[in-house]
Amino acid sequence: NNLGIENTQTIFNPTIEDENYKIIENLSKYKPFILAVGRLHKQKNFDLLIRAYENTKVSNDVKLLIASLRVLQN
């Protein structure tokens, strides 16, 4: 709504509050950044995300970080 775009729908991702899901690296050294998180499977279409990011004006100033999910076993 704030961007004046019509005919859109927001689909929120679920949040996970589980200590088995952790980012194990300090990401602050990459600031500013866009973070994408998901399984590295073709259906997640990260190749489209990368191509879209490369075509933006921010790609020179903002890093694109992709974090893959891996469950840590106890």
Side-chain angles (χ1 to χ4, degrees):
N1 290 341
N2 296 339
L3 299 175
I5 300 172
E6 298 178 4
N7 299 323
T8 62
Q9 181 178 2
T10 301
I11 301 173
F12 295 98
N13 288 323
T15 59
I16 300 172
E17 294 184 16
D18 184 330
E19 64 182 47
N20 289 323
Y21 294 93
K22 296 179 183 177
I23 294 179
I24 56 176
E25 183 176 350
N26 181 356
L27 301 181
S28 64
K29 63 184 172 184
Y30 300 109
K31 286 184 179 179
F33 62 85
I34 298 168
L35 177 63
V37 180
R39 293 176 289 123
L40 297 180
H41 288 252
K42 185 175 182 169
Q43 72 189 69
K44 295 299 183 180
N45 219 358
F46 282 111
D47 57 332
L48 176 62
L49 171 65
I50 293 167
R51 287 194 310 274
Y53 167 77
E54 289 175 340
N55 290 320
T56 67
K57 294 178 182 178
V58 301
S59 64
N60 291 329
D61 302 315
V62 178
K63 302 286 186 209
L64 173 61
L65 306 179
I66 299 175
S68 65
L69 295 177
R70 184 181 74 175
V71 178
L72 301 175
Q73 301 294 325
N74 291 333

